Amino acid sequence: AIQLTQSPSSLSASVGDRVTITCRASQGISSALAWYQQKPGKAPKLLIYDASSLESGVPSRFSGSGSGTDFTLTISSLQPEDFATYYCQQFNSYPQKTFGGGTKVEIK
Amino acid sequence: EVQLVESGGGLVQPGGSLRLSCAASGFTFSSYSMNWVRQAPGKGLEWVSYISSSSSTIYYADSVKGRFTISRDNAKNSLYLQMNSLRAEDTAVYYCARDREVSQIDYWGQGTLVTVSS
């Protein structure tokens, strides 16, 4: 089974900071990766699909990159509403899916 | 607007059963594959099960295989998860989630909490 390892598991950052989260797959998954944002008590929300495509309605400060085994989610200028937990998800083994362990972005 | 509304969660004893439902609206339910994804308290997301639009293809995570059964009723725009032989480790919020074609999940319900405890 394909495993996804996210790093870091948590980070502290200030408003306006550039934030980078990585997701590493245990084997190559081409561009079959999505990124989600989850706030406490809420359902996850799709941010990035197919590794680098911005979901409609998502602010342009979010971007995704990578292919194969190494992927990155970048927030170019962190905003107060961006403090949340972020998950990557692979669908190369569709319809079975795997999620990364999550990265909690906290206020410094 | 796509809406997915789960129901049926609650407190159940170990070894017991529970049936979750998900009511879908705002899209052509019969055209989309669906999933159940769960999240234990304070933990990450875990994919549980998948069902294709016509119910012809079904998959389960190893952790629930043989105990859980996914099904759907396209006439009622509804998705179900029958959970039997429940264990403490099945305690989680269960989300109903839609697949975007043959790819990632694009919409999630608000979740329903299942607590397995004596």
Side-chain angles (χ1 to χ4, degrees):
Chain A
I2 299 173
Q3 297 183 5
L4 297 178
T5 303
Q6 280 185 241
S7 61
S9 55
S10 66
L11 65 89
S12 295
S14 301
V15 172
D17 284 353
R18 181 182 182 88
V19 169
T20 299
I21 299 168
T22 64
C23 179
R24 175 164 289 176
S26 59
Q27 64 189 73
I29 59 171
S30 185
S31 296
L33 190 97
W35 288 97
Y36 300 88
Q37 176 193 67
Q38 186 180 34
K39 295 183 178 179
K42 300 295 186 181
K45 172 188 173 184
L46 179 63
L47 299 176
I48 301 289
Y49 64 96
D50 296 345
S52 60
S53 297
L54 189 68
E55 177 70 356
S56 176
V58 174
S60 59
R61 62 182 179 272
F62 291 93
S63 64
S65 64
S67 67
T69 60
D70 294 313
F71 301 85
T72 299
L73 173 70
T74 300
I75 309 172
S76 60
S77 178
L78 197 65
Q79 298 302 300
E81 60 268 30
D82 300 337
F83 292 95
T85 300
Y86 294 84
Y87 294 93
C88 56
Q89 177 228 316
Q90 69 83 21
F91 51 95
N92 186 71
S93 55
Y94 187 89
Q96 293 159 304
K97 303 167 180 69
T98 312
F99 292 91
T103 296
K104 187 174 184 179
V105 177
E106 299 176 302
I107 302 172
K108 181 182 284 185
Chain B
E1 179 193 4
V2 172
Q3 285 199 323
L4 300 168
V5 180
E6 302 92 337
S7 60
L11 175 64
V12 60
Q13 292 188 339
S17 298
L18 212 53
R19 189 194 195 207
L20 305 183
S21 299
C22 170
S25 61
F27 65 103
T28 305
F29 180 72
S30 60
S31 297
Y32 288 84
S33 298
M34 299 294 295
N35 303 268
W36 287 99
V37 178
R38 68 184 181 184
Q39 186 170 37
K43 302 297 184 182
L45 300 166
E46 179 190 15
W47 171 79
V48 171
S49 185
Y50 161 94
I51 186 168
S52 63
S53 57
S54 65
S55 303
S56 60
T57 303
I58 287 174
Y59 282 88
Y60 298 99
D62 288 344
S63 57
V64 306
K65 200 173 295 182
R67 300 187 298 123
F68 289 11
T69 302
I70 191 172
S71 62
R72 65 190 294 162
D73 186 336
N74 287 342
K76 294 183 178 179
N77 291 339
S78 294
L79 176 72
Y80 306 100
L81 186 68
Q82 177 67 43
M83 304 185 295
N84 297 332
S85 302
L86 282 162
R87 307 166 180 167
E89 54 264 36
D90 295 319
T91 294
V93 173
Y94 285 74
Y95 294 101
C96 164
R98 188 185 85 165
D99 271 351
R100 171 175 294 172
E101 300 175 344
V102 184
S103 66
Q104 59 264 308
I105 290 170
D106 61 355
Y107 284 97
W108 303 67
Q110 86 290 349
T112 187
L113 176 62
V114 172
T115 303
V116 183
S117 175
S118 54

